[in-house]
């Protein structure tokens, strides 16, 4: 995880040009926002001002001047949620008998990792460790 004070694109380009990383990207999420009375899907960064970079083989995160490193579990979760596009799509689900059931989206099968749901903001927080907020539309509650 690298800080991007001069902008995300500039930081990604600099890290990739240097050869210290094989991949550098900003993880974004699709969330639903209300604008002029209608719900609109918007993309926003998961961690604003930070870039995720995969160190080149044989290098450590310290060689990149990283602010912090994701654990192996966090890295696998980011890869699963974002996929090749590095965009976490919004999920849709319902609450049955006090338990979350995700019908479709990247959160399918990850229900036990959801630590908090904000139905008003349409977000779900995944934890333990570094918290990741992703879009979740809860359609019904019984």
């Amino acid at each position: 995880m690298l800080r991007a004070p001069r902008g995300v694109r500039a930081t990604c380009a600099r890290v990739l040009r240097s050869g210290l990383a094989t991949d550098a990207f900003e993880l974004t999420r699709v969330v639903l926002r209300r604008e002029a009375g209608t719900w609109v899907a918007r993309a926003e960064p998961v961690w604003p001002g930070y870039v995720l970079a995969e160190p080149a083989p044989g290098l450590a995160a310290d060689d990149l001047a990283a602010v912090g490193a994701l654990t192996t579990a966090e890295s696998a979760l980011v890869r699963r949620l974002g996929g090749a596009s590095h965009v976490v799509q919004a999920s849709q689900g319902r609450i049955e008998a006090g338990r979350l059931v995700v019908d479709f989206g990247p959160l399918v099968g990850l229900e036990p990792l959801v630590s908090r749901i904000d139905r008003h903001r349409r977000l779900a927080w995944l934890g333990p460790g570094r918290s990741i907020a992703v879009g979740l539309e809860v359609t019904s509650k019984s």
Side-chain angles (χ1 to χ4, degrees), residues 10-110:
T11 302
C12 289
R14 180 181 50 83
V15 170
L16 292 173
R17 257 193 330 265
S18 70
L20 296 174
T22 57
D23 190 15
F25 59 92
E26 178 184 41
L27 185 65
T28 58
R29 65 178 173 229
V30 174
V31 293
L32 297 171
R33 297 284 182 223
R34 191 170 181 119
E35 294 179 4
T38 59
W39 289 99
V40 181
R42 294 280 179 222
E44 62 183 36
V46 173
W47 295 300
Y50 291 92
V51 170
L52 298 175
E54 179 72 32
L59 295 176
D62 295 336
D63 298 332
L64 290 172
V67 174
L70 297 178
T71 64
T72 306
E74 290 171 337
S75 179
L77 181 62
V78 165
R79 282 185 182 28
R80 178 170 179 197
L81 290 174
S85 66
H86 308 299
V87 177
V88 182
Q89 298 296 322
S91 297
Q92 185 175 358
R94 61 190 185 283
I95 297 175
E96 292 180 350
R99 298 188 61 197
L100 175 66
V101 178
V102 179
D103 297 325
F104 65 87
L107 291 180
V108 171
L110 297 177

